[in-house]
Amino acid sequence: MLRYTLLRVLGAIPTLLLVIVLAFLMVHAAPGGPFDDERVLPADVEANIARAYHLDESLPKQLLRYLGGLVQGDLGPSYRYRDYTVSELIGAAFPLSLKLGAMAMALAIVVGVSAGTVAALQQGTYLDRTVMAFSMTGISIPVFVVAPVLVLFFAVKLQWLPAGWSSSTGASRMVLPVITLALPQIAYIARLTRASMIDVLGRDFVRTARAQGLGTLTVVRLHALKPAMLPVLSYMGPAIAAILTGSVVVEEIFGIPGLGQFFIRAALNRDYTLVLGIVVFYAALIVLLNLIVDVLYGAIDPRVRYR
Amino acid sequence: MSLLNVKDLSIRYQQTAVVDALSFSIDRGESVGLVGESGSGKSQTALALLGLLPRQASVSGSIRFDGTELVAASEEALDRVRARRIGIVFQDPMQALNPYLRIGRQLREILVRHKLARGAEIDERVIEMLVRVGLSDARRQFHAYPHQLSGGMRQRVMLASALIAEPDLLIGDEPTTALDVTVQAQILELLEEIRDNTALLLITHDLGVVAGHCERMLVLEKGRLVDVGATTSLFASPGHAHTRLLLDAAPRIDRASALPQATGASILGIEAVSVSYKAFGNEQLRAVHDVSLSLRSGETVAVVGESGSGKSSFVRAVLGLVPMLSGRAVYAGAPLEGPVERRVKAQRRDLQLIFQDPVSALNPQMRVQSIVAESLLVHEPGLSSQARLEKVVEALGQVGLGDEYLGRYPHELSGGQAQRVAIARALVLGPKVLICDEAVAALDGSVRKQVLALLRKAQEDTGLAIIFISHDLAVVRAISHRVAVLYMGRLVELSDNAPLFSRPRHPYTRALIDAVPVPNPVVAPKKAPLRGEVPSLLDPPSGCVFHPRCSYVKEICKSMLPATRDLQGARVACHCADEIDLSL
């Protein structure tokens, strides 16, 4: 088990390296640089700045320099927020993104699994079809459409909830962003749960449990839920990635000062180190969470053995 | 008044009736066998008794259990009957027990649900039940997951779950079909021992099991009850043609076969073949140890043994489907070497294999014609499509299938038809050696009889040599010239058919024979001849691998592996073979 974890962590290194190299090349391929402004600087000043940040070196050399810093845990200074390092910026902005993401994930799991289970138990009924129709809608409509519609309805028309981050201070300002972020995941998890629950309910051991007179609730709770959750658990990796990317859009729409917003600003500003820093951080986070998912998989299914 | 009274029970799926106007009753403490071929509605009846049929089934008629009507009863009412009044044991305990839950948890929930115990008493009752069904070390096994138990132990747990709530009726739905014969004998014996005054409805296709364990029997044919009566009288004088058909089709371990001697030239020689697999970690699992066997043209050699005896691994190594660790096989003077894809075409063509489950062995996307013709494309590429079709039609004709099957897909065939197609596919190349890996195990009695007759005919016509892998000694007795008995990958006895079944030399052979239920209700069922199950191949016993289960064990058996020696025509690996008389 320990060996397995270690191997998995080591196995993630090439993945991370590839992500870094690709991200590095892409930010540098974009036209413009971190210090290009509308106000044109004198050539010698520009050259000085470039030298100070090693931007005059060749790309491979800059990449190696960056990787060298990374190995020591140094993500470098931000090019635009001059007084801060990238690590400090991530440390400041991430907690809010984490809160948003975790709440969305929890909501998605609770609602998605419940809806999927109910649909599976009522397979073929009106209720089942309604749940499935809703979830199809949830999957099909993109976040940037859902968000304004929700704002228009709940904030502008009904005036139940604040429209943006800065227009309120209470917990209520989290509601719309969390729902927006969770909706597509709720939809997908509901469909996944329904399909796998139907499969599990048809297995022999569920028939045995029913033959023991355990009643539907106990049969589902004790016997069917765990195995039915395996596909959902496998989906957690991609779901986390989807929530992270979704949060970039949602934070921008609702004006939430989280990591996603920083990321967009950094990309627009060609703040190379900050973009790279966030990419590395997110990539590492996804790898770590996927590893946790795999370990949990073994906890649910006793037949899984790690080697 | 009867405990269970079924009247005019019909089960329909859309317009098709799978059970049609079935009426029968069971008294308290009585044991009743429900027999019939697959699709006769046996299991559907069992599920109906517990209200477990799928939603699409429409049920009519009446099932009265101890005064309560169960047809169209509410789920709550049914839940009060399930387990508490009627317990059930299903066929395959690997599937029927929840692999994600510890067995103790699965059992205790029944007591909790039916309010039969509370607090610490619950676990105590579960452990007590596990002890009763013969789980050694029940306190520890309480925490085991099903996959950590052997097949026999799993079925014991299943039985414990069916009996823990002390029901009045126990239903066994093919409860021993997925088990080895030796384990089947143990489970049936246990069933008799612990059911006390619980009535038993035993659903099975095996008339040997019914003969030994049921006072009365019901015979179903296509959903209709065609015969009913005391087991002894129905066996003596069947009331219906279908009962007679079933009885005739049941293989008899107690009857000698009348096979002519095989006199062909030696065609396949297998010397000291060993096979090993990589197990978890870096351990080597030795599945086959130095097994030698020879085969003549026109001869059938059966390879028998419990699951895990290495039967399949042995022939697969010969065919080159798994690597041979050591040893060699010689076919028609030339060695069979390397994996099958690197062997010369003629060898691949001459050695053909058919599998147990015909439906999964046929590509569901291909029509019968293409399935049978496929190997001709490889081995006889020059053939015109007309000539190829003729060969396919001829091969299908050999197995008794007409032209109308050419365009069918596998799912449009019955199990027996599918197995015939598989045989036709093997025979179309005109092989010299046919290896049948449990080829008739999944078939109904009457179909099995036809398929066996067909193999015999192919042998007579073409001098085909057959290696017949089977766990069913009754079938083996009927069709093989010689029998090789494997135990934990080692050849323990190799002998001609007649002497093997009249005077086996190895205690294991005798135990295998004794374990087969005899379809004759007058003969009392023998006590289970073997205790326990096959030990792990990863940790084989010292000395003779059979010694922990052998009733003739001596000191020497525990330390020294017996050499294989000749004993009046038989080859036996047993220290005591010449001292003990195992005649039947």
Side-chain angles (χ1 to χ4, degrees):
Chain A
M1 179 69 198
L2 193 72
R3 199 178 113 89
Y4 170 79
T5 312
L6 208 69
L7 282 176
R8 277 292 306 269
V9 171
L10 288 178
I13 290 176
T15 315
L16 285 177
L17 205 63
L18 190 72
V19 168
I20 294 167
V21 172
L22 281 178
F24 184 86
L25 293 177
M26 278 161 80
V27 286
H28 282 274
F35 306 109
D36 295 349
D37 233 324
E38 280 172 13
R39 187 163 53 93
V40 182
L41 291 167
D44 54 337
V45 176
E46 214 165 291
N48 274 337
I49 294 176
R51 193 168 319 120
Y53 287 98
H54 307 289
L55 289 174
D56 54 344
E57 290 173 358
S58 69
L59 273 189
K61 213 163 174 191
Q62 287 187 49
L63 178 61
L64 282 178
R65 185 181 293 283
Y66 183 76
L67 288 174
L70 198 62
V71 172
Q72 297 161 36
D74 180 12
L75 292 171
S78 166
Y79 290 170
R80 292 298 286 230
Y81 305 91
R82 303 265 160 87
D83 296 329
Y84 300 94
T85 64
V86 169
S87 308
E88 282 167 348
L89 289 173
I90 292 177
F94 181 61
L96 189 56
S97 294
L98 177 68
K99 196 170 153 193
L100 181 68
M103 285 167 77
M105 198 73 197
L107 184 71
I109 293 172
V110 171
V111 178
V113 168
S114 315
T117 305
V118 169
L121 286 171
Q122 305 282 324
Q123 194 194 346
T125 62
Y126 187 67
L127 185 69
D128 176 29
R129 288 198 201 119
T130 313
V131 169
M132 284 305 101
F134 263 107
S135 78
M136 202 63 224
T137 321
I139 291 172
S140 324
I141 303 178
V143 171
F144 55 80
V145 175
V146 173
V149 171
L150 288 179
V151 169
L152 195 67
F153 196 68
F154 290 100
V156 180
K157 264 228 139 93
L158 297 171
Q159 305 216 334
W160 287 353
L161 294 161
W165 190 256
S166 47
S167 51
S168 164
T169 49
S172 62
R173 63 184 181 176
M174 287 297 266
V175 175
L176 286 183
V178 165
I179 290 178
T180 309
L181 202 48
L183 265 182
Q185 304 310 321
I186 290 176
Y188 198 81
I189 290 174
R191 295 186 80 83
L192 212 54
T193 305
R194 176 180 179 271
S196 90
M197 186 61 90
I198 286 173
D199 170 46
V200 172
L201 288 176
R203 300 235 199 116
D204 283 1
F205 65 81
V206 168
R207 186 179 63 184
T208 308
R210 290 183 58 211
Q212 290 164 350
L214 298 187
T216 310
L217 203 66
T218 312
V219 169
V220 170
R221 185 181 52 78
L222 184 75
H223 287 276
L225 197 58
K226 232 167 139 188
M229 281 303 93
L230 288 173
V232 177
L233 191 62
S234 309
Y235 173 65
M236 283 301 108
I240 289 159
I243 291 226
L244 285 181
T245 38
S247 74
V248 174
V249 180
V250 168
E251 284 178 17
E252 186 63 20
I253 293 173
F254 288 93
I256 302 168
L259 201 52
Q261 220 182 34
F262 269 96
F263 186 63
I264 291 182
R265 297 277 177 285
L268 291 176
N269 291 333
R270 308 287 183 272
D271 193 341
Y272 294 157
T273 42
L274 186 54
V275 169
L276 281 175
I278 295 176
V279 167
V280 170
F281 178 71
Y282 271 172
L285 192 67
I286 289 174
V287 167
L288 178 76
L289 290 172
N290 271 301
L291 179 64
I292 293 176
V293 165
D294 282 358
V295 172
L296 279 179
Y297 209 93
I300 289 193
D301 190 340
R303 293 168 300 180
V304 172
R305 296 172 86 181
Y306 298 103
R307 57 190 316 176
Chain B
M1 193 186 70
S2 302
L3 177 67
L4 175 74
N5 226 318
V6 176
K7 209 163 173 347
D8 286 330
L9 178 69
S10 294
I11 304 169
R12 276 169 213 285
Y13 290 90
Q14 283 152 354
Q15 287 315 304
T16 346
V18 293
V19 172
D20 194 5
L22 176 62
S23 301
F24 66 93
S25 63
I26 297 178
D27 288 335
R28 280 178 194 281
E30 194 186 18
S31 59
V32 176
L34 183 56
V35 301
E37 303 203 310
S38 49
S40 61
K42 312 185 292 285
S43 292
Q44 292 290 319
T45 305
L47 293 177
L49 295 184
L50 285 160
L52 289 175
L53 288 168
R55 222 173 294 177
Q56 303 89 302
S58 75
V59 183
S60 64
S62 152
I63 299 172
R64 286 194 87 78
F65 182 82
D66 204 11
T68 314
E69 177 58 50
L70 298 184
V71 171
S74 68
E75 277 293 305
E76 291 73 31
L78 285 167
D79 277 343
R80 284 193 291 275
V81 172
R82 293 168 178 161
R84 183 67 195 88
R85 308 300 308 277
I86 307 177
I88 186 163
V89 177
F90 292 107
Q91 175 170 344
D92 183 355
M94 190 65 231
Q95 309 292 329
L97 291 171
N98 189 336
Y100 306 94
L101 278 185
R102 297 176 195 280
I103 58 168
R105 188 77 205 280
Q106 301 188 38
L107 289 176
R108 75 192 298 280
E109 210 61 28
I110 304 167
L111 294 176
V112 172
R113 178 72 192 189
H114 296 282
K115 300 189 176 66
L116 296 171
R118 32 169 49 202
E121 197 195 333
I122 301 172
D123 287 3
E124 283 313 307
R125 289 259 315 254
V126 170
I127 289 166
E128 186 189 316
M129 193 66 215
L130 290 178
V131 171
R132 275 183 67 199
V133 296
L135 254 72
S136 52
D137 206 2
R139 224 162 260 283
R140 205 165 54 84
Q141 305 286 30
F142 182 88
H143 299 288
Y145 286 102
H147 74 277
Q148 294 166 328
L149 303 177
S150 66
M153 285 303 144
R154 281 197 284 267
Q155 196 59 309
R156 286 167 192 266
V157 171
M158 188 72 217
L159 190 57
S161 83
L163 289 176
I164 196 166
E166 296 170 350
D168 303 298
L169 172 65
L170 176 66
I171 303 173
D173 187 358
E174 301 272 6
T176 55
T177 307
L179 307 172
D180 275 318
V181 271
T182 53
V183 180
Q184 161 171 290
Q186 293 172 20
I187 296 287
L188 289 173
E189 194 178 290
L190 174 69
L191 189 67
E192 288 296 332
E193 241 170 66
I194 67 169
R195 80 177 170 92
D196 293 332
N197 201 33
T198 307
L200 175 69
L201 177 62
L202 191 60
I203 294 169
T204 179
H205 68 283
D206 188 337
L207 288 164
V209 171
V210 174
H213 300 272
C214 301
E215 297 151 31
R216 273 199 310 138
M217 64 187 266
L218 313 162
V219 182
L220 282 187
E221 183 194 13
K222 297 189 183 119
R224 285 168 186 275
L225 185 68
V226 294
D227 213 348
V228 56
T231 308
T232 40
S233 57
L234 279 199
F235 270 75
S237 58
H240 189 274
H242 190 68
T243 314
R244 189 180 305 281
L245 182 97
L246 292 179
L247 283 170
D248 287 346
R252 299 291 296 254
I253 185 92
D254 52 346
R255 284 185 195 155
S257 72
L259 281 178
Q261 195 71 40
T263 51
S266 176
I267 184 167
L268 180 65
I270 305 163
E271 286 161 41
V273 163
S274 293
V275 178
S276 88
Y277 297 107
K278 217 172 152 150
F280 188 66
N282 276 324
E283 281 175 291
Q284 288 289 319
L285 187 150
R286 197 74 178 272
V288 180
H289 275 272
D290 298 337
V291 175
S292 303
L293 196 64
S294 66
L295 194 63
R296 296 164 180 277
S297 288
E299 184 185 37
T300 301
V301 175
V303 180
V304 303
E306 288 163 285
S307 46
S309 61
K311 310 184 289 285
S312 293
S313 297
F314 169 62
V315 294
R316 270 157 213 226
V318 172
L319 286 170
L321 295 171
V322 300
M324 218 183 263
L325 181 71
S326 60
R328 61 191 221 122
V330 178
Y331 167 71
L336 293 168
E337 281 169 338
V340 67
E341 57 272 20
R342 278 200 242 128
R343 292 187 179 174
V344 291
K345 268 190 187 174
Q347 288 184 344
R348 284 172 8 208
R349 165 197 187 121
D350 286 357
L351 275 72
Q352 291 290 319
L353 174 67
I354 47 182
F355 298 96
Q356 171 168 359
D357 180 2
V359 179
S360 59
L362 302 178
N363 186 336
Q365 259 98 48
M366 284 166 75
R367 293 176 194 272
V368 167
Q369 183 182 344
S370 326
I371 289 172
V372 179
E374 196 183 15
S375 55
L376 286 172
L377 292 174
V378 176
H379 291 283
E380 292 182 35
L383 227 51
S384 72
S385 56
Q386 186 55 41
R388 197 158 53 231
L389 180 63
E390 277 167 21
K391 280 202 165 240
V392 170
V393 170
E394 191 195 319
L396 286 174
Q398 237 182 316
V399 297
L401 296 177
D403 295 356
E404 67 271 26
Y405 289 92
L406 284 171
R408 300 222 183 147
Y409 285 101
H411 72 267
E412 296 170 314
L413 305 172
S414 69
Q417 288 164 351
Q419 193 60 297
R420 284 166 197 237
V421 170
I423 295 173
R425 173 173 64 179
L427 293 184
V428 73
L429 292 173
K432 303 288 183 283
V433 179
L434 183 65
I435 295 174
C436 305
D437 191 351
E438 297 280 8
V440 297
L443 305 177
D444 273 323
S446 56
V447 181
R448 176 173 49 210
K449 208 172 161 184
Q450 292 164 5
V451 170
L452 290 175
L454 201 137
L455 288 173
R456 281 274 292 281
K457 184 161 180 305
Q459 186 167 56
E460 277 165 29
D461 292 351
T462 64
L464 189 66
I466 299 177
I467 296 183
F468 191 85
I469 298 179
S470 178
H471 68 283
D472 189 337
L473 269 84
V475 170
V476 164
R477 180 163 203 182
I479 66 132
S480 63
H481 297 95
R482 283 189 298 145
V483 182
V485 183
L486 296 190
Y487 183 73
M488 291 190 75
R490 294 175 192 274
L491 184 72
V492 296
E493 182 164 357
L494 173 63
S495 170
D496 285 342
N497 180 318
L500 185 105
F501 285 98
S502 59
R503 192 185 169 186
R505 297 290 181 166
H506 197 286
Y508 181 60
T509 311
R510 173 71 204 246
L512 280 182
I513 296 170
D514 281 347
V516 179
V518 180
N520 180 359
V522 182
V523 181
K526 297 194 184 86
K527 277 188 73 66
L530 280 185
R531 295 290 129 197
E533 290 170 59
V534 184
S536 164
L537 283 169
L538 285 171
D539 184 21
S542 62
C544 172
V545 283
F546 185 60
H547 89 255
R549 300 173 79 192
C550 183
S551 35
Y552 300 94
V553 63
K554 292 195 303 189
E555 264 322 299
I556 185 173
C557 304
K558 294 177 186 162
S559 54
M560 213 175 100
L561 191 70
T564 311
R565 52 185 166 146
D566 284 310
L567 210 68
Q568 291 158 4
R571 289 190 63 73
V572 193
C574 174
H575 290 301
C576 323
D578 43 6
E579 297 157 30
I580 49 181
D581 183 6
L582 298 169
S583 300
L584 282 124

